[in-house]
Amino acid sequence: LVSLKAFLGPYIRRRRKALNQTQISIARHLNISSQFLGKIEKGEVNCPESALRKLIQILDFRKSDLKQIYLEAALTQVDGLLGILSKKK
């Protein structure tokens, strides 16, 4: 099943690039490595809550975008679960 990280990571990358910021500069603000930030942006790992709180401020996340990301992730989860249930019948 798809998780939130698959939706949130690419959004982080888009916002960072829209603000002409490098992974290195953002990673320094978050006290993480640029490699770890790259994994977050690719949706390979979850973004720690403390880093997410900073990212919301640094990258000026839009509330409406975050709601959409969480909604898409939730709907994808439901679709995946329904697919599993339909295969059991």
Side-chain angles (χ1 to χ4, degrees), residues 2-18 23 26 30 36-48 52 55 59 61 65-66 69-70 72-73:
V2 177
S3 67
L4 178 62
K5 64 186 175 188
F7 292 90
L8 186 58
Y11 177 74
I12 292 169
R13 176 169 284 174
R14 285 192 305 275
R15 290 296 301 153
R16 177 181 58 76
K17 287 186 173 190
Q23 283 184 338
I26 298 300
L30 303 176
F36 187 65
L37 179 57
K39 288 182 179 188
I40 291 170
E41 290 183 349
K42 291 176 188 171
E44 294 175 358
V45 297
N46 287 315
C47 183
L52 182 56
L55 281 169
L59 299 179
F61 282 15
D65 288 346
L66 288 175
I69 289 166
Y70 278 83
E72 287 176 13

Side-chain angles (χ1 to χ4, degrees), residues 7-81:
F7 292 90
L8 186 58
Y11 177 74
I12 292 169
R13 176 169 284 174
R14 285 192 305 275
R15 290 296 301 153
R16 177 181 58 76
K17 287 186 173 190
L19 296 172
N20 295 314
Q21 295 291 321
T22 65
Q23 283 184 338
I24 292 170
S25 67
I26 298 300
R28 282 185 185 145
H29 285 291
L30 303 176
N31 295 318
I32 62 173
S33 70
S34 57
Q35 293 84 0
F36 187 65
L37 179 57
K39 288 182 179 188
I40 291 170
E41 290 183 349
K42 291 176 188 171
E44 294 175 358
V45 297
N46 287 315
C47 183
E49 185 178 336
S50 60
L52 182 56
R53 288 179 186 277
K54 289 179 185 177
L55 281 169
I56 288 170
Q57 294 175 344
I58 295 168
L59 299 179
D60 193 28
F61 282 15
R62 296 180 184 108
K63 191 174 183 179
S64 60
D65 288 346
L66 288 175
K67 285 181 179 180
Q68 185 64 33
I69 289 166
Y70 278 83
L71 180 61
E72 287 176 13
L75 291 174
T76 301
Q77 288 288 93
V78 169
D79 287 345
L81 291 171

